[in-house]
Amino acid sequence: MAWNFDKPLYSLTDESQNTAARKTWESESLGGITEDNNRLPQPVVWLLAATIVTAFLITFPLWGQRPSAAIFSEYVQLMDTPEVQAIADDKGKMDYIVKNVKDTKYKALQDRHPVEMDDLRMVKDQIIELNRQGVDLEEYTVVGQHVVLANFEGNMKPDGTRQRKQPWWDKGYTIDIFYVAYFCIAVVIVIKRLPHFSWQPDHSVAH
């Protein structure tokens, strides 16, 4: 199975292999199904490329994101204020809390991870306890009704422990890029191992 790299975008096989492929293509009946050797329309290729690139750009900020306990800390602090307690329904309480958070550092993350009063009630005591311990809430992830130490492993801190904050680049994103690139390269190689699209099979040979 020889490879020809003289014109890789034209063909990756030598002429003898192309001749054998043409002969097989024309002699196989394939149950009466015929298949021409047309190239994939260029608009479809560009559309596929645009879809892949757009999908990566859109999902990049969301990849691997988990809500940290820090973004809900101020929510929890507001839960027991007289103003919130005076509101009758949970939706009204939540709307008041969201509108009155003062720390805008987490505003985008709070918008990305909306919660309801019942969600806050489940994690309230855990966040209060972590605050009492004086730990960095950005290193704790909210998973359902649990607040757990994040499983990220960043740089070593002065106290000898690992930093547990969300990295700006997720490893899963790297893996995904690798497999998408692998798929595209494999498809191109398979296509270029077939006869060039300028040749069309004569279906009358087999039929």
Side-chain angles (χ1 to χ4, degrees):
M1 192 170 77
W3 291 79
N4 181 9
F5 296 101
D6 292 343
K7 297 179 179 178
L9 295 182
Y10 179 83
S11 177
L12 289 172
T13 58
D14 57 23
E15 190 53 35
S16 63
Q17 287 179 296
N18 272 324
T19 300
R22 293 188 189 105
K23 183 178 179 181
T24 301
W25 199 319
E26 290 182 329
S27 61
E28 290 287 344
S29 65
L30 299 176
I33 299 174
T34 59
E35 186 65 44
D36 291 331
N37 187 26
N38 298 320
R39 68 186 304 184
L40 191 64
Q42 287 197 11
V44 175
V45 176
W46 287 113
L47 179 62
L48 179 62
T51 301
I52 293 174
V53 172
T54 304
F56 273 94
L57 291 177
I58 290 177
T59 57
F60 170 70
L62 304 176
W63 200 268
Q65 282 282 352
R66 300 287 186 276
S68 73
I71 69 175
F72 302 128
S73 179
E74 193 173 358
Y75 283 3
V76 170
Q77 294 172 26
L78 290 172
M79 287 176 70
D80 293 330
T81 59
E83 293 80 3
V84 174
Q85 293 297 316
I87 301 173
D89 63 291
D90 283 352
K91 185 177 184 307
K93 291 180 178 179
M94 201 65 240
D95 290 342
Y96 178 89
I97 291 173
V98 171
K99 289 177 182 175
N100 286 274
V101 291
K102 300 188 184 312
D103 188 353
T104 56
K105 176 183 177 183
Y106 301 117
K107 185 69 173 65
L109 290 173
Q110 289 164 344
D111 291 342
R112 190 175 299 165
H113 300 287
V115 291
E116 298 179 353
M117 280 301 292
D118 285 337
D119 300 320
L120 288 182
R121 291 188 181 104
M122 287 189 290
V123 299
K124 173 186 173 184
D125 292 340
Q126 298 170 76
I127 291 178
I128 290 175
E129 174 60 21
L130 290 173
N131 265 324
R132 190 188 65 77
Q133 295 175 12
V135 300
D136 187 348
L137 291 181
E138 290 186 354
E139 295 191 328
Y140 286 80
T141 300
V142 177
V143 183
Q145 60 183 355
H146 303 290
V147 181
V148 298
L149 186 63
N151 60 359
F152 308 119
E153 293 188 359
N155 296 326
M156 297 295 291
K157 294 188 290 189
D159 62 2
T161 60
R162 287 280 186 185
Q163 188 179 54
R164 299 285 184 165
K165 295 184 180 180
Q166 169 89 33
W168 74 274
W169 181 266
D170 189 275
K171 289 182 181 178
Y173 209 72
T174 304
I175 294 171
D176 195 52
I177 289 175
F178 169 79
Y179 277 106
V180 169
Y182 172 81
F183 169 78
C184 293
I185 292 172
V187 169
V188 170
I189 290 175
V190 169
I191 291 173
K192 294 305 175 184
R193 293 285 291 175
L194 296 171
H196 191 260
F197 62 82
S198 58
W199 170 82
Q200 289 296 330
D202 180 2
H203 298 299
S204 64
V205 174
H207 306 285

